[in-house]
Amino acid sequence: MTGKRIRTGAVLAVGALAAAGLAFAPTAVAVTPQSATITADCGAFGGGEATLTATQDGTAATLTLTSTAITAPIALAQDSITSTLTLVKATGGTTAFTGTKNPAMAAGDPVTVGPLSGTVASGDSLETYGGSLTMTVFGITITCTATGPQSPGPFVFD
């Protein structure tokens, strides 16, 4: 009988510790919305609708841009585009997301760049309208700008 009480006590203690661990575990940080749509103008390189997807892990954040309207002018190797996506802060100033991540693309394929890395603070509200995306490919710089606010709204980071 004593062995049964010890096991029951041990099970209850483990259960209490597990519950306490869940109560004190850090909550996952999130950005809202997780994706937004923009219309971009890339000058002579085209333009159209693009989707931005955001993630956040503490102060580290990433953004990925994909567009079926903006296409690769030539075949591009994986990780061959140097990109900087600059977003405007609601409180003033800008935040840049940079990187050289992209999938391999054939001429005419939809453009995807990212994930591009940046640093955010809790409460940052970032919008593409007023910012820009600069992509450098084989020494040629392509600059895209949003023609209006993103939808459904700015990215807000926890």
Side-chain angles (χ1 to χ4, degrees), residues 75-138:
L76 300 168
Q78 180 177 344
D79 301 335
S80 63
I81 303 173
T82 301
S83 303
T84 300
L85 177 61
T86 304
L87 281 75
V88 177
K89 289 183 179 183
T91 58
T94 60
T95 298
F97 292 81
T98 60
T100 56
K101 295 289 185 189
N102 63 275
M105 294 174 257
D109 278 356
V111 168
T112 296
V113 292
L116 306 175
S117 301
T119 303
V120 296
S122 181
D124 275 357
S125 177
L126 304 177
E127 165 70 60
T128 55
Y129 189 51
S132 65
L133 170 65
T134 303
M135 299 175 284
T136 303
V137 182
F138 301 121

Side-chain angles (χ1 to χ4, degrees), residues 38-54:
I38 64 169
T39 301
D41 178 6
C42 301
F45 295 96
E49 192 171 279
T51 300
L52 290 166
T53 305

